[in-house]
């Protein structure tokens, strides 16, 4: 059978950040059902069952993910969560994926290449990739924060990027919740096309890292302006980028292709 997820069983991720008002069990179930009906399906096989992922792409990088877990006992919804597929890529090595199959969740923990920084983020596209394809080599991921609190400061403040649980007053938060504080490099307004909710994409230099943050415009305190600083509490999430996707982003000359082949398509037949 297929049972809808119970909102109360999960720690609500910041759906507000991508423009959805999820305040109770009914709205949570309705969004999960809508995403499952409209999203693209992918699946990943595991020794004890199969994870069925569904990605509903809304545009501008906004997504809603649902995951169903299937075992010999049947099939049921495991999770529904907000997502943003950003552009700023990070390399990680060493790394590990902590997977909670029956909960439909996965977390990446890894050291950022060429940096002393270690990150933990919720992995959205576990059913779109095969972790074995990346064994014993670095992974590339796009990582961003979905903010549930954010404010603007016009004066310079100390850059901060650290897990919220490291602070005594935030011990009840998860390992993927971070405080992000830094200078705003750029921003733009985007919209959730389903709800028409205005959102903000903000690129932040937090000292240790440059990171994209998504904020519901109505939740941001203060005025965005050049030279301003952002202080936010955000849920860190991301997607592992496959080799095919990396090649699709490449715009330069591929030196692995023999130079003579560059001109083949331009030759005329006589």
């Amino acid at each position: 059978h297929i049972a809808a997820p119970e909102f109360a069983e999960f720690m609500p991720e910041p759906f507000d950040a991508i423009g959805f008002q999820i305040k109770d069990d009914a709205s949570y179930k309705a969004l999960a059902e809508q995403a499952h009906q409209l999203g693209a399906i992918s699946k990943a096989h595991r020794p004890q069952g199969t994870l069925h992922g569904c990605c509903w792409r809304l545009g501008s990088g906004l997504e809603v993910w649902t995951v169903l877990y299937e075992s010999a006992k049947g099939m049921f919804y495991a999770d529904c969560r907000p997502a943003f597929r950003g552009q700023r890529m990070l390399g990680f090595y060493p790394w590990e994926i902590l997977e909670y199959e029956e909960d439909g969740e996965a977390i990446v923990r890894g050291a950022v290449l060429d940096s002393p920084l270690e990150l933990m983020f919720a992995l959205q596209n576990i059913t779109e990739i095969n972790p074995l394809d990346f064994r014993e080599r670095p992974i590339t991921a796009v990582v961003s924060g979905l903010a549930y609190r954010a404010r603007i400061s016009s004066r310079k403040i100390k850059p901060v990027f650290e897990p919220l649980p490291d602070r005594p007053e935030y011990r009840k938060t998860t390992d993927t919740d971070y405080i992000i504080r830094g200078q705003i490099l750029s921003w733009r307004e985007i919209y959730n096309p389903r709800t028409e909710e205005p959102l903000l994409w903000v690129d932040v230099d937090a000292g240790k890292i440059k990171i994209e943050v998504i904020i519901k415009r109505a939740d941001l305190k203060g005025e965005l302006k050049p030279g301003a600083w952002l202080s936010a509490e955000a849920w860190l999430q991301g997607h592992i980028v496959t080799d095919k996707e990396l090649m699709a982003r490449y715009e330069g000359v591929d030196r692995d292709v023999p130079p003579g082949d560059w001109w083949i398509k331009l030759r005329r037949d006589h």
Side-chain angles (χ1 to χ4, degrees):
H1 71 288
I2 299 177
E6 295 293 335
F7 178 73
E9 293 180 4
F10 305 95
M11 180 175 181
E13 285 92 6
F15 284 95
D16 278 4
I18 67 165
F20 287 105
Q21 297 292 320
I22 306 299
K23 301 299 182 184
D24 53 29
D25 192 56
S27 57
Y28 183 78
K29 289 179 179 179
L31 182 62
E33 181 63 28
Q34 190 174 30
H36 185 67
Q37 293 295 326
L38 299 175
I41 302 294
S42 56
K43 61 183 177 181
H45 298 288
R46 298 294 183 264
Q48 302 301 319
T50 300
L51 292 170
H52 298 263
C54 186
C55 175
W56 181 24
R57 297 192 178 187
L58 300 159
S60 299
L62 305 173
E63 300 176 350
V64 176
W65 274 87
T66 65
V67 177
L68 293 87
Y69 178 72
E70 180 184 11
S71 69
K73 297 179 181 179
M75 183 183 294
F76 59 91
Y77 275 114
D79 197 16
C80 176
R81 55 187 179 266
F84 177 75
R85 203 174 295 232
Q87 295 296 314
R88 191 178 285 281
M89 294 187 292
L90 296 172
F92 295 89
Y93 192 81
W95 56 271
E96 63 176 337
I97 295 177
L98 312 174
E99 192 171 324
Y100 307 94
E101 291 180 19
E102 294 188 9
D103 292 332
E105 295 182 353
I107 294 174
V108 174
R109 177 169 62 196
V112 179
L113 292 176
D114 303 318
S115 168
L117 184 64
E118 181 179 278
L119 284 188
M120 289 188 71
F121 63 91
L123 177 59
Q124 303 283 19
N125 64 333
I126 186 65
T127 55
E128 290 183 339
I129 62 165
N130 181 2
L132 295 180
D133 292 340
F134 304 96
R135 182 179 292 177
E136 301 302 327
R137 67 182 179 95
I139 60 171
T140 301
V142 288
V143 181
S144 55
L146 303 187
Y148 44 90
R149 292 189 190 90
R151 60 183 175 83
I152 298 294
S153 174
S154 58
R155 62 183 179 85
K156 184 175 180 179
I157 52 181
K158 182 181 179 181
V160 175
F161 182 82
E162 63 182 38
L164 278 173
D166 288 354
R167 299 192 169 198
E169 65 270 31
Y170 293 107
R171 285 178 180 170
K172 292 184 179 181
T173 55
T174 69
D175 290 334
T176 52
D177 286 313
Y178 278 70
I179 183 166
I180 301 169
R181 185 183 300 156
Q183 188 169 29
I184 296 170
L185 301 174
S186 60
W187 75 85
R188 70 174 182 269
E189 190 168 76
I190 59 178
Y191 288 85
N192 180 321
R194 304 296 293 197
T195 64
E196 298 185 351
E197 187 73 53
L199 313 171
L200 291 167
W201 170 90
V202 185
D203 197 20
V204 181
D205 183 353
K208 298 178 182 178
I209 188 174
K210 294 180 176 67
I211 189 166
E212 299 166 85
V213 181
I214 304 300
I215 311 162
K216 179 181 175 182
R217 178 174 265 288
D219 289 343
L220 180 64
K221 298 180 179 179
E223 180 185 355
L224 275 170
K225 56 184 179 181
W229 287 63
L230 177 75
S231 182
E233 295 169 22
W235 179 61
L236 222 60
Q237 55 85 62
H239 304 71
I240 289 179
V241 182
T242 65
D243 291 341
K244 183 178 180 180
E245 290 172 321
L246 283 172
M247 289 299 295
R249 290 171 179 245
Y250 182 73
E251 297 179 353
V253 175
D254 188 349
R255 297 298 177 184
D256 292 332
V257 177
D261 292 347
W262 299 349
W263 304 100
I264 288 178
K265 293 185 179 180
L266 299 178
R267 290 177 181 170
R268 293 181 179 178
D269 295 327
H270 295 285

